C-alpha cells in the first residue's frame, strides 16, 4: 500500500499491516477461547420444548410467581441489559466494517456473533415467559433503538474498535453479574441465566484485551492515541434511546452499574496494558499516555459529583413497567 492510499477507507495503511501481522495471534487467541468456552443454549437454561414435562410446566408457573417480587429498579436493569444485547446487528456490522471479512478476524467476529446472539435470545425468552414487562412497550423501545442505528465516531480506526470492545465487554460483564446478584433473592433462574451470560462476556473481554495488548506492542504510540479517543467516555450502545439517560440513572442509583464501575474497568485495563510504563513513544504517544493516566482521577471526580447529586431522591417512571413510580 503506497502513501496515496485514502486514509478514510479502512484505517491507515500501517494499521492494516498491523492487523494482518496479528492474524496468527488472533487465530491462537480464538483457539484458546474455544478451549475455555462452555457452549450453552437458551433452551438449556429456560426450556420451551413442545414435549414439555409436567415438571417444566410447574417450574414456569413458579418462575412467573417468584418474578412478581423483582423490584422495578432491577427490571430497568434487565431492560437495559436486554436492549444492549439486542443491538447485535449493529455491533456485528461495526466489527465487520473495521476488521474486514475473510480472515482470522472475521472468523472471530462470526464466532463472537453466534455467542452474543444467545444473550439477547435467552434474556428475551426470560422476560417474556416470566411476564415482567409491558412487553409491547419494550418491543417498541427495542425497535426504535435498532432503527436509530449505532455509529460511534471512530473514523474507521480499527484500533478504536478494539479498545472499545475491551471496555464494553467488561462493562456488560459487570452489568449482567450485578443485575443477577440483585435478582437472586427473588427469582434464582434469572440469576443463573445472567451468570452464564456474564461468563461469556468475561471470556470475550479476555480476547479483546489480549488482542489490543498485541496492537499496543506492535504500534505503541498510534495505539495510545486511539485508546485516548475511546477511553475517557464510553458511549454506551443504547445512548440514542429517549429514556436511556433515565434508565442509566436508575441502574447507577441501584449500584448495579455506573461511573464507579467504569472507573474500575479503566484502572484495570491501564494496569493490564501497563500504559504508564510504556517507553520509546513519539511526542503524540507520550502526550496520549499522560492524558490516559489522568482518566481515573477525572472519573472519580465525576462519580463523586453524581453521588452528591443522588443524595436527593428522584422519581422515575417507564412505560415498559406500566409507568409505576420508582423512587431512588
Ligand atoms: Fe453479550
Ligand atoms: Fe460479549
Amino acid at each position: 500500500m503506497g502513501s496515496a492510499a485514502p486514509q478514510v477507507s479502512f484505517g491507515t495503511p500501517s494499521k492494516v499491516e498491523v492487523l494482518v501481522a496479528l492474524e496468527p495471534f488472533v487465530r491462537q487467541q480464538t483457539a484458546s477461547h474455544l478451549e475455555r468456552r462452555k457452549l450453552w443454549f437458551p433452551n438449556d437454561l429456560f426450556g420451551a420444548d413442545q414435549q414439555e414435562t409436567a415438571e417444566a410446566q410447574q417450574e414456569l408457573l413458579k418462575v412467573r410467581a417468584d418474578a412478581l417480587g423483582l423490584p422495578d429498579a432491577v427490571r430497568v436493569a434487565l431492560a437495559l441489559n436486554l436492549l444492549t444485547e439486542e443491538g447485535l446487528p449493529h455491533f456485528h456490522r461495526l466489527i465487520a466494517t473495521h476488521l474486514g471479512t475473510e480472515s482470522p478476524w472475521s472468523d472471530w467476529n462470526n464466532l463472537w456473533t453466534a455467542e452474543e446472539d444467545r444473550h439477547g435470545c435467552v434474556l428475551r425468552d426470560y422476560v417474556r415467559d416470566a411476564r415482567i414487562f409491558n412487553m409491547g412497550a419494550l418491543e417498541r423501545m427495542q425497535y426504535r433503538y435498532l432503527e436509530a442505528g449505532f455509529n460511534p465516531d471512530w473514523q474507521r480506526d480499527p484500533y478504536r474498535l478494539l479498545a472499545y470492545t475491551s471496555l464494553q465487554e467488561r462493562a456488560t460483564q459487570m452489568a449482567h453479574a450485578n443485575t443477577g446478584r440483585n435478582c437472586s433473592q427473588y427469582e434464582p433462574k434469572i440469576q443463573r441465566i445472567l451468570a452464564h451470560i456474564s461468563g461469556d462476556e468475561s471470556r470475550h473481554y479476555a480476547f479483546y484485551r489480549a488482542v489490543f495488548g498485541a496492537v499496543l506492542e506492535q504500534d505503541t504510540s498510534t495505539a495510545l492515541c486511539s485508546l485516548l479517543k475511546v477511553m475517557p467516555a464510553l458511549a454506551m450502545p443504547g445512548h440514542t434511546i429517549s429514556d436511556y439517560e433515565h434508565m442509566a440513572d436508575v441502574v447507577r442509583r441501584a449500584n448495579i452499574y455506573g461511573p464507579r464501575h467504569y472507573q474500575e474497568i479503566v484502572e484495570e485495563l491501564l494496569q493490564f496494558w501497563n500504559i504508564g510504563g510504556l517507553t520509546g513513544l513519539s511526542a503524540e504517544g507520550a502526550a496520549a499516555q499522560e492524558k490516559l493516566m489522568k482518566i481515573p482521577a477525572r472519573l472519580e471526580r465525576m462519580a463523586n459529583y453524581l453521588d452528591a447529586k443522588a443524595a436527593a431522591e428522584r422519581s422515575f417512571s417507564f412505560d415498559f413497567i406500566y409507568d409505576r413510580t420508582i423512587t431512588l
Side-chain angles (χ1 to χ4, degrees):
M1 254 171 259
S3 57
Q7 298 243 326
V8 289
S9 65
F10 185 72
T12 59
S14 64
K15 286 178 183 168
V16 175
E17 280 158 24
V18 169
L19 292 188
V20 171
L22 286 177
E23 285 183 359
F25 183 74
V26 170
R27 206 176 285 124
Q28 178 231 311
Q29 286 297 309
T30 304
S32 69
H33 169 81
L34 285 172
E35 273 166 31
R36 287 195 306 270
R37 180 184 75 169
K38 291 175 234 74
L39 188 60
W40 52 268
F41 288 92
N43 198 59
D44 305 334
L45 301 178
F46 203 3
D49 292 322
Q50 183 187 348
Q51 295 188 335
E52 210 164 59
T53 60
E55 203 183 321
Q57 283 169 13
Q58 278 309 110
E59 194 189 18
L60 174 61
L61 293 176
K62 183 171 177 356
V63 166
R64 218 174 264 180
D66 289 349
L68 288 171
L70 289 172
D72 282 336
V74 174
R75 289 172 202 242
V76 173
L78 282 168
L80 200 54
N81 293 3
L82 171 56
L83 221 53
T84 307
E85 294 291 344
E86 297 279 30
L88 185 59
H90 295 306
F91 307 147
H92 177 88
R93 167 181 51 81
L94 283 166
I95 296 176
T97 308
H98 287 79
L99 300 178
T101 52
E102 294 180 22
S103 79
W105 293 97
S106 56
D107 292 344
W108 165 261
N109 187 17
N110 292 336
L111 166 68
W112 175 87
T113 301
E115 290 189 9
E116 288 291 346
D117 188 55
R118 292 135 64 247
H119 300 171
C121 285
V122 73
L123 283 176
R124 193 187 145 86
D125 288 350
Y126 180 85
V127 304
R128 182 191 165 96
D129 285 356
R131 302 287 192 268
I132 66 167
F133 290 133
N134 175 341
M135 203 60 190
L138 189 84
E139 284 176 345
R140 281 187 290 278
M141 186 164 69
Q142 185 202 337
Y143 178 85
R144 287 196 304 272
Y145 165 46
L146 282 173
E147 193 187 41
F150 178 53
N151 292 299
D153 185 17
W154 290 335
Q155 311 275 323
R156 300 208 165 229
D157 173 0
Y159 294 2
R160 287 192 221 182
L161 171 98
L162 294 171
Y164 181 87
T165 47
S166 301
L167 293 157
Q168 175 68 19
E169 291 286 359
R170 181 75 166 108
T172 52
Q173 186 269 320
M174 277 187 179
H176 287 307
N178 291 343
T179 305
R181 231 165 270 138
N182 279 271
C183 292
S184 58
Q185 65 188 106
Y186 307 98
E187 202 295 287
K189 189 178 275 290
I190 184 61
Q191 196 215 355
R192 185 152 178 264
I193 289 171
L194 290 166
H196 278 73
I197 299 177
S198 160
D200 280 2
E201 310 298 23
S202 62
R203 284 181 288 273
H204 295 161
Y205 170 59
F207 174 90
Y208 286 114
R209 75 175 183 178
V211 166
F212 190 78
V215 168
L216 270 167
E217 250 173 56
Q218 298 254 333
D219 195 6
T220 313
S221 289
T222 312
L224 285 172
C225 294
S226 297
L227 183 59
L228 182 62
K229 295 284 184 192
V230 171
M231 203 177 229
L234 192 71
M236 293 297 279
H239 73 106
T240 47
I241 302 166
S242 53
D243 265 345
Y244 177 81
E245 293 299 331
H246 293 152
M247 291 169 80
D249 201 5
V250 167
V251 169
R252 184 177 62 79
R253 285 167 187 254
N255 198 26
I256 291 172
Y257 183 82
R260 285 203 199 280
H261 298 94
Y262 185 61
Q263 181 192 341
E264 195 183 322
I265 297 169
V266 166
E267 283 172 356
E268 188 178 288
L269 281 175
L270 289 175
Q271 196 180 7
F272 181 82
W273 290 323
N274 186 30
I275 297 297
L278 295 173
T279 52
L281 306 175
S282 68
E284 292 87 353
Q289 178 189 43
E290 199 188 324
K291 286 182 188 150
L292 284 163
M293 296 309 291
K294 287 181 180 158
I295 295 176
R298 204 175 51 76
L299 290 172
E300 185 161 14
R301 284 196 297 277
M302 190 169 87
N304 289 343
Y305 168 76
L306 288 172
D307 278 355
K309 254 176 65 175
E313 276 191 344
R314 191 175 165 191
S315 293
F316 303 85
S317 75
F318 302 96
D319 58 358
F320 61 86
I321 45 172
Y322 298 95
D323 295 309
R324 290 190 294 265
T325 302
I326 308 175
T327 305
L328 286 169

